[in-house]
Amino acid sequence: MSESESGLAWQGVSSDALCWLELGDEVLVYHSGSGDTHLLDTLSASVLRLVCDRPLTLARLTALLADRPGIPRDELDGSELAALMKRFRRLGLVDVVKPC
Amino acid sequence: MLTSDLSIGQVTALLAEGRLALRTGPFLFRIRSSIPAISRGLTRLYARHTVEVDPPFSDFHVSLERSGGVRYLFRPQVRFLLDEWTPFKPLPLTQAFAMLEWGMNWCIANHAHHYLVLHAALVAKGDRALLLPGAPGSGKSTLCAALVQRGWRLFSDELALFDPATAEVVAVPRAVGLKNRSIEVIRHFAPAARIGPVARDTAKGSVAHMAVPEGQEEGGAPARVRWIVFPAFTEGAEEQIEPVTPARTMLELIEHAFNYSVLGERGFNLLGRVVQEAEGFRCTYGELEQVVERMEALAAK
């Protein structure tokens, strides 16, 4: 069963481990844990910021994003969000946890 | 004291005794060598650089020695030492001076972690600097040599040093390394350029070094990077320049950094500041004169 189907939540690394830099519609984030720097678009950056605040299921994440200005609803596709979280997980930026 | 204040005999004797130190930007290199090509190279290409005899402190103690054994007679080689350590395999003796240049670059890139060090050429107009990051073969050293011959101030053709406290770049004016066709290109572009002997069949092909133009040996005041141009030399290509976003510019700069991982968050914040203060471009070129004019136009804007 995949994380998206099991109702598990996604938790980002500690905010202290990330350093952000917004440059127009591109965002750079430095992860002190890996020493890597990642280039994100604004949607990906919003997602990462949200899951670094607290663990979120994909459903809850989608709802929170929908409330945010500047994020078109057609970009909030569940399967794309799930794929994004898996990419973040491979990069060591998020992990799967049981929802609170 | 300048190198030219000493006779070649004195330079040779002081180098053999390991008592001569060459100042280049913020670094003092104490050099020991009995190889004639080293004293000849220093007197020819570093004539107007500051040297010190028996300084109480040097940043790096380097030696160039002929390798021993049977090879000494049949295929003489040279080895480079930092203190007592040999970081590289020996090279043919004919490449001794090039090895000194490469070794000094290696010392700075691997040890000067109080700076963020990028693999890039760097020149300036007054206090506004043009950064030319590029992989070997991108044409950065050739372009750097050409710009310097047109009056730009030489910071380095290989290493850009950023002070994390100020985000300024500091100059390390050293002889500019030219490879293969670039040697003739620069001879033709600037007939007055002082270019040392050509070392052939090195790992990089034929290599020669162009002396720092007179008056620029001390490096001068730090500067701020205003333009970041990723050069890409392609034989016969039409000159083309296109903007690169600050975020992508920064990612590429990270790729060209020697010690970004050592500086960590400080390096991230520093480069963030740099890309926000500068304009980024990618420039393909096939004709040196054209791209030099383009860089002049960029600086004149």
Side-chain angles (χ1 to χ4, degrees):
Chain A
M1 190 189 307
S2 72
E3 289 89 0
S4 58
E5 293 162 330
S6 65
L8 291 175
W10 295 93
Q11 170 73 66
V13 296
S14 160
S15 299
D16 295 342
L18 299 179
C19 192
W20 297 87
L21 177 63
E22 289 184 25
L23 294 166
D25 56 2
E26 293 175 313
V27 180
L28 288 164
V29 61
Y30 172 75
H31 178 207
S32 61
S34 65
D36 292 332
T37 304
H38 306 284
L39 173 61
L40 308 177
D41 60 20
T42 45
L43 173 63
S44 306
S46 298
V47 169
L48 186 57
R49 282 184 201 274
L50 284 169
V51 294
C52 284
D53 280 348
R54 60 185 188 280
L56 294 169
T57 62
L58 279 184
R60 183 73 189 125
L61 186 56
T62 307
L64 286 171
L65 287 168
D67 290 342
R68 293 209 154 191
I71 296 180
R73 282 188 168 271
D74 57 2
E75 288 190 17
L76 300 178
D77 177 84
S79 61
E80 283 187 22
L81 270 184
L84 176 62
M85 301 313 293
K86 284 177 183 167
R87 279 203 299 277
F88 281 157
R89 190 183 191 188
R90 277 200 299 276
L91 295 170
L93 293 169
V94 303
D95 210 345
V96 181
V97 295
K98 286 186 176 172
C100 302
Chain B
M1 182 198 321
L2 305 180
T3 312
S4 58
D5 293 332
L6 299 167
S7 69
I8 178 117
Q10 286 173 311
V11 171
T12 302
L14 289 167
L15 283 172
E17 293 166 3
R19 298 174 57 200
L20 194 68
L22 174 72
R23 174 153 300 280
T24 169
F27 305 109
L28 194 59
F29 281 88
R30 191 157 176 160
I31 304 168
R32 174 190 289 274
S33 184
S34 299
I35 298 168
I38 301 299
S39 49
R40 280 200 306 269
L42 285 177
T43 49
R44 182 166 181 181
L45 295 173
Y46 289 90
R48 307 288 299 170
H49 274 68
T50 297
V51 287
E52 294 180 32
V53 177
D54 296 328
F57 171 81
S58 299
D59 295 280
F60 301 103
H61 291 246
V62 302
S63 310
L64 285 109
E65 297 175 351
R66 289 178 70 137
S67 295
V70 180
R71 275 183 182 276
Y72 184 88
L73 295 173
F74 298 102
R75 291 177 66 190
Q77 290 188 311
V78 56
R79 58 190 194 128
F80 176 91
L81 292 93
L82 170 63
D83 297 323
E84 296 304 314
W85 182 40
T86 49
F88 319 119
K89 287 182 179 170
L91 291 177
L93 187 61
T94 52
Q95 299 174 20
F97 190 76
M99 194 179 207
L100 171 63
E101 290 287 354
W102 296 332
M104 288 199 289
N105 285 342
W106 180 87
C107 288
I108 296 170
N110 287 277
H111 296 90
H113 299 317
H114 47 305
Y115 295 106
L116 177 71
V117 187
L118 262 57
H119 185 207
L122 186 64
V123 293
K125 288 261 189 195
D127 61 356
R128 300 178 308 153
L130 163 63
L131 184 69
L132 299 164
S138 61
K140 68 178 187 310
S141 289
T142 314
L143 180 52
C144 170
L147 290 168
V148 164
Q149 290 298 330
R150 289 286 164 87
W152 290 66
R153 185 155 64 102
L154 175 66
F155 273 57
S156 173
D157 73 316
E158 278 287 329
L159 303 171
L161 268 56
F162 288 83
D163 181 343
T166 61
E168 290 178 327
V169 279
V170 297
V172 195
R174 298 244 316 277
V176 176
L178 301 170
K179 296 191 289 282
N180 303 314
R181 271 202 59 212
S182 296
I183 302 167
E184 280 314 307
V185 167
I186 293 299
R187 280 194 213 280
H188 179 74
F189 183 86
R194 282 182 297 136
I195 298 176
V198 179
R200 302 189 190 281
D201 302 321
T202 77
K204 303 179 180 191
S206 295
V207 174
H209 288 85
M210 184 190 87
V212 177
E214 210 164 312
Q216 296 195 25
E217 296 85 356
E218 294 299 316
R224 302 196 83 81
V225 172
R226 294 299 183 213
W227 313 281
I228 300 165
V229 177
F230 299 98
F233 171 77
T234 306
E235 185 84 49
E238 280 292 306
E239 191 243 33
Q240 233 179 346
I241 190 160
E242 56 189 31
V244 182
T245 66
R248 288 183 189 278
T249 298
M250 181 158 158
L251 277 189
E252 288 206 39
L253 292 185
I254 291 168
E255 291 293 314
H256 289 288
F258 285 105
N259 59 350
Y260 178 74
S261 58
V262 177
L263 269 70
E265 194 174 324
R266 284 175 78 207
F268 178 82
N269 290 330
L270 168 59
L271 284 182
R273 198 169 156 189
V274 170
V275 298
Q276 288 179 91
E277 290 180 357
E279 293 177 274
F281 300 95
R282 192 173 314 286
C283 181
T284 304
Y285 75 96
E287 172 57 48
L288 193 56
E289 190 71 55
Q290 257 181 7
V291 73
V292 167
E293 277 174 29
R294 173 71 78 163
M295 296 302 113
E296 294 283 4
L298 206 59
K301 265 205 303 188

